[in-house]
Amino acid sequence: MNTCFALVDCNSFYASCERVFNPKLRNQPVIVLSNNDGVVVARSDEAKALGIKMGTPLHLIKELVRRNRVYVYSSNYALYGDMSNRVMNIMTTYAPEMEVYSIDEAFLNFSGVSNVKNLAHQIHQAILNGTGLPVCVGIGPTKVLAKIANAFAKKNKKISPVCDLSEISSRNTVLDSFPIEDIWGIGLKSAEKLKNLGIFTGKELRDSDTDKIENTLTVVGRRIVLELRGISCLALETVKPDKKQIISSRSFGKPVYALEELKESISSYVERAAEKLRHQSSVCGHMQVFVHTNRFKAVQQYFNTASIQIPTPTSASNVLVKAAFQGLEKIYKEGIEYKKSGVIISDIGPVGLVQLGLFDAGKSYFQDEKIMKVMDKINQSKGLSSIRLGSSGINQDWKLRSELKSPHYTTRWNDLPKAR
DNA sequence: TCTGGGGTCCTAGGACCC
DNA sequence: TCTGGGGTCCTAGGACCC
């Protein structure tokens, strides 16, 4: 049977989420900012039309924003995460196999479906009716082609939110005008290399010699060429594999100098990472702690990372915090203006395989485990970070800015929208 | 005042072993 | 006198994605 994938992707997801609960934003330019209210991470069509680019620092477009009355929001991940779940739930009712690819998009297995276009339109309508969010659907025999179809649908969504590239004839037209840098998996560097070879469009890449492309872009490039030809190399990943690495880091809302404040930040990041680790029933054997200065600021620069081996792999926050502090103390330098800190945990494995070290008091290991279970339970029912380690601090003055956040419409009773 | 955060995969090169 | 070569594992770094 021929493979067929559909890629369903929400349009301007974060901005659209804000719009669902705030009708005055309709047809208005809306942008959503990254953590710390730093750069633009989502834009409504109206904001795109004003020339606001992805990743632009807010302070560079202050005047443009004011002049055009652009609505500006801090990111509200509780809201977006919840809306994402709703969208995904609707999709599962239309396709037996789904890969949730990111917060706002999923691949569906359409192989064997008789009228793919019709089904795609149904999904589009169901999501719009069920959540108020607009989506576009791209269809193709491979994931790369489904991605391209989706991009094409987005560009022409006024005509139709669905683009079907199942037929080779339709592919020729679209690929001929499709720039290589917009192909999934081809980034800035790879595009540059391809252009040096005289390859500029999707069609030119598809018709290139695979060996030649592999020489320049490794096997990743070969796969893309094959996918463009309609030969499926990238399978649908229906079960989320366990994470192999968990990163938790943030920029500070104000300059930080003191070791004590860095410790608070690191402690709370470790808590967050450990929570994720426990959520997938894993333990970790390695951790990296890093700190660095603001590279855009004319201050003495300092970047450093400490690497810490965890003798008995664990997911206990208190144990990991202790280890992280040891690392932090090794790399901390006085008199530095720190901008960001973080932890990366790796060497992740299932909890059942832990070998207790010869000198481990097995007792404390199991005790920690019990305490963590209780903590997770409380945080789950009472809300994130209701209970946390004392080492994470109380005031957390270093915390990031988030001044323009919309209410938690769907996840907090007090923030429920009111109908008048 | 002011520039995000969290992931994956692939490769090259070093360490180590026999 | 002559000082190999192949395999594996690990890690850092690059590139990419949303």
Side-chain angles (χ1 to χ4, degrees):
Chain A
M1 184 173 59
N2 291 332
T3 54
C4 185
F5 298 91
L7 176 66
V8 183
D9 191 320
C10 301
N11 304 345
S12 316
F13 182 57
Y14 295 173
S16 298
C17 286
E18 298 295 344
R19 246 179 205 168
V20 167
F21 295 95
N22 196 344
K24 77 171 184 213
L25 301 181
R26 252 173 240 164
N27 304 317
Q28 299 299 317
V30 179
I31 59 175
V32 179
L33 304 175
S34 64
N35 281 315
N36 232 14
D37 293 347
V39 304
V40 177
V41 293
R43 310 152 294 156
S44 70
D45 285 335
E46 296 78 6
K48 286 174 194 166
L50 290 172
I52 298 175
K53 298 261 181 299
M54 198 76 168
T56 311
L58 178 64
H59 70 94
L60 292 182
I61 52 167
K62 266 266 148 84
E63 186 48 34
L64 183 83
V65 163
R66 196 192 55 77
R67 218 174 36 234
N68 295 284
R69 298 173 174 269
V70 178
Y71 290 89
V72 182
Y73 288 90
S74 302
S75 28
N76 183 345
Y77 291 107
L79 175 67
Y80 311 149
D82 184 65
M83 292 302 281
S84 173
N85 287 337
R86 292 169 193 230
V87 171
M88 301 302 168
N89 283 338
I90 291 170
M91 273 189 270
T92 49
T93 62
Y94 284 87
E97 285 191 316
M98 169 168 81
E99 173 185 344
V100 177
Y101 179 66
S102 75
I103 191 163
D104 74 331
E105 62 188 302
F107 287 101
L108 304 176
N109 185 0
F110 266 25
S111 307
V113 172
S114 52
N115 191 344
V116 286
K117 235 175 163 171
N118 184 32
L119 184 58
H121 278 287
Q122 283 181 39
I123 291 173
H124 165 263
Q125 203 53 49
I127 293 173
L128 193 60
N129 293 346
T131 65
L133 293 169
V135 303
C136 281
V137 188
I139 302 163
T142 67
K143 281 179 160 182
V144 168
L145 286 170
K147 269 272 190 187
I148 288 174
N150 190 281
F152 192 83
K154 284 236 165 105
K155 216 180 288 171
N156 302 288
K157 59 178 179 287
K158 293 234 167 80
I159 304 162
S160 170
V162 176
C163 170
D164 178 12
L165 293 183
S166 302
E167 298 303 323
I168 184 113
S169 52
S170 57
R171 294 210 287 274
N172 278 334
T173 331
V174 171
L175 288 181
D176 202 25
S177 62
F178 205 83
I180 40 163
E181 61 265 30
D182 292 348
I183 295 172
W184 191 42
I186 307 279
L188 226 62
K189 303 270 176 178
S190 303
E192 203 59 36
K193 289 178 192 163
L194 290 173
K195 284 175 186 171
N196 286 335
L197 293 175
I199 300 166
F200 295 88
T201 68
K203 197 171 169 198
E204 283 165 352
L205 181 59
R206 179 194 68 186
D207 299 335
S208 297
D209 178 59
T210 44
D211 289 337
K212 188 169 104 182
I213 300 301
E214 183 165 350
N215 278 338
T216 343
L217 301 184
T218 77
V219 296
V220 179
R222 172 185 288 269
R223 278 202 285 262
I224 292 172
V225 173
L226 292 175
E227 287 254 323
L228 286 172
R229 291 180 187 171
I231 302 162
S232 177
C233 306
L234 306 168
L236 200 72
E237 288 175 14
T238 49
V239 274
K240 268 254 170 303
D242 280 348
K243 290 191 200 329
K244 297 170 180 170
Q245 138 185 318
I246 296 168
I247 302 176
S248 182
S249 77
R250 289 281 186 286
S251 297
F252 302 129
K254 58 154 201 154
V256 165
Y257 296 89
L259 178 61
E260 278 318 303
E261 284 195 300
L262 281 179
K263 275 185 158 177
E264 282 186 14
S265 71
I266 288 291
S267 171
S268 65
Y269 302 151
V270 169
E271 278 200 89
R272 190 171 322 154
E275 218 172 72
K276 288 187 189 171
L277 193 59
R278 296 194 292 274
H279 189 248
Q280 67 172 40
S281 303
S282 298
V283 291
C284 76
H286 191 261
M287 177 160 47
Q288 281 171 283
V289 177
F290 65 87
V291 292
H292 63 75
T293 44
N294 184 350
R295 66 180 193 281
F296 298 104
K297 205 168 170 184
V299 293
Q300 190 194 345
Q301 295 293 312
Y302 179 63
F303 299 75
N304 211 346
T305 304
S307 180
I308 308 116
Q309 210 66 39
I310 315 291
T312 305
T314 181
S315 62
S317 304
N318 52 335
V319 179
L320 293 174
V321 166
K322 245 183 243 164
F325 281 1
Q326 283 172 13
L328 178 61
E329 277 159 17
K330 266 187 219 153
I331 55 173
Y332 174 75
K333 266 203 338 203
E334 236 169 281
I336 298 285
E337 181 182 322
Y338 294 98
K339 175 65 177 173
K340 185 174 177 176
S341 70
V343 296
I344 304 171
I345 58 181
S346 55
D347 201 355
I348 291 176
V351 73
L353 297 179
V354 175
Q355 286 272 333
L356 285 184
L358 189 57
F359 301 106
D360 277 313
K363 230 167 63 193
S364 81
Y365 180 85
F366 292 112
Q367 205 168 10
D368 289 336
E369 206 171 288
K370 256 189 220 158
I371 295 171
M372 290 306 128
K373 271 206 181 114
V374 173
M375 268 182 85
D376 287 343
K377 214 168 180 181
I378 293 174
N379 280 333
Q380 224 167 49
S381 60
K382 303 281 178 198
L384 222 58
S385 302
S386 298
I387 172 168
R388 50 178 206 243
L389 297 178
S391 52
S392 299
I394 309 282
N395 293 329
Q396 304 193 320
D397 288 337
W398 40 269
K399 267 217 157 157
L400 51 79
R401 278 183 300 272
S402 185
E403 290 163 352
L404 311 158
K405 191 138 95 182
S406 53
H408 293 71
Y409 294 112
T410 59
T411 52
R412 262 190 216 159
W413 287 112
N414 290 340
D415 289 351
L416 267 183
K418 295 179 185 74
R420 294 176 218 277

